[in-house]
Amino acid sequence: MASLMELKEIFRSADAVCFDVDSTVIREEGIDELAKFCGVGDAVAEMTRRAMGGTVTFKAALTARLGLIRPSYEQVQKLISDNPPQLTPGIRELVSRLHQRGVQVFLVSGGFQSIVEHVALQLNIPTANVFANRLKFYFNGEYAGFDETQPTAESGGKGRVITHLKEQFHFKKVVMIGDGATDMEACPPGDCFIGFGGNVVRKQVKEKAKWYISHFDELLKELEER
């Protein structure tokens, strides 16, 4: 098991950094915001809490939550235009600094592609570096399910994304940063996990993560060390 000092060294010399999105890169949980927008906020928020605690499989929780929300294409687009995701303080500066150092930045999310791509645009992250779940719609715009073939639709999917990135780009060191159990489980194959509690604290993650931060400034300072 790597020490905190070793984890910090991995972060400073990483080829790639993968960020979770909901409650990490942005302040809110995208699926909860969509549920509120569609009038089923409370029921879905409770399901999200259970999913983030790691007590049910991710796909089961996602299927159940989307079955309640049943968002139309129009509702998803209106949510993005009327209530755009709020970036977490410090993330813009951190991503910019990583880019300056030649580090590849990826968004790996159990949230929805259309919302995550909107976030990527604000952070100058190419959409090719976004891995998220894709909603499906009928020709009339009604909800038709989600793409169950996406790795992020499954428990353990974020780890599979990291394995894919290592194979495709031959990265030596990949860091995963996030607030939830699904992020922590991605290491290994990720080389370093950094728990993030700046928006919400997940007890299980705070207790188990070797490196746990509350503000992205902490990571910016680490990068200034060398």
Side-chain angles (χ1 to χ4, degrees):
M1 291 286 284
S3 67
L4 178 59
M5 193 180 294
E6 286 168 330
L7 291 178
K8 288 184 173 186
E9 179 52 38
I10 290 169
F11 173 65
R12 286 195 296 266
S13 58
D15 310 289
V17 176
C18 297
F19 288 92
D20 172 51
V21 177
D22 294 340
S23 298
T24 300
V25 167
I26 62 173
R27 306 198 71 145
E28 55 276 285
E29 285 285 324
I31 195 163
D32 288 351
E33 295 303 306
L34 186 57
K36 276 189 257 179
F37 197 75
C38 296
V40 289
D42 290 346
V44 169
E46 178 53 36
M47 286 183 178
T48 297
R49 274 194 291 277
R50 288 207 300 273
M52 294 306 288
T55 53
V56 292
T57 69
F58 185 82
K59 185 182 263 188
L62 185 62
T63 303
R65 289 179 290 176
L66 283 172
L68 265 180
I69 304 168
R70 303 195 65 79
S72 68
Y73 177 80
E74 186 183 355
Q75 283 172 317
V76 174
Q77 296 308 311
K78 194 159 170 47
L79 172 70
I80 294 168
S81 62
D82 290 6
N83 300 305
Q86 301 299 303
L87 291 177
T88 299
I91 188 62
R92 202 187 289 276
E93 294 80 3
L94 177 57
V95 170
S96 175
R97 187 79 184 93
L98 288 167
H99 281 155
Q100 285 168 12
R101 291 165 66 97
V103 178
Q104 287 249 38
V105 178
F106 296 87
L107 299 180
V108 184
S109 172
F112 305 123
Q113 187 87 14
S114 47
I115 296 173
V116 178
E117 284 185 352
H118 178 82
V119 173
L121 200 63
Q122 295 179 70
L123 296 171
N124 296 316
I125 295 170
T127 53
N129 289 17
V130 168
F131 293 85
N133 287 315
R134 296 175 186 272
L135 294 171
K136 297 198 291 194
F137 303 98
Y138 292 111
F139 68 92
N140 64 355
E142 287 181 5
Y143 175 68
F146 64 96
D147 183 353
E148 297 190 23
T149 67
Q150 293 297 316
T152 48
E154 296 265 14
S155 298
K158 292 180 180 182
R160 282 198 286 284
V161 170
I162 290 175
T163 297
H164 163 75
L165 293 177
K166 284 187 161 188
E167 288 170 354
Q168 184 176 357
F169 298 105
H170 307 294
F171 294 138
K172 298 283 189 293
K173 295 176 189 171
V174 178
V175 173
M176 182 76 212
I177 301 171
D179 67 288
T182 59
D183 308 307
M184 189 162 58
E185 288 161 3
C187 299
D191 301 280
C192 165
F193 169 66
I194 303 170
F196 182 73
N199 293 311
V200 62
V201 175
R202 316 277 181 201
K203 185 168 176 281
Q204 177 191 9
V205 176
K206 187 174 185 182
E207 287 174 356
K208 292 186 178 176
K210 275 257 182 79
W211 190 0
Y212 193 83
I213 63 166
S214 298
H215 201 288
F216 287 125
D217 282 358
E218 297 171 61
L219 298 183
L220 270 171
K221 287 195 187 92
E222 285 300 324
L223 296 177
E224 305 310 324
E225 294 289 310
R226 79 189 255 190

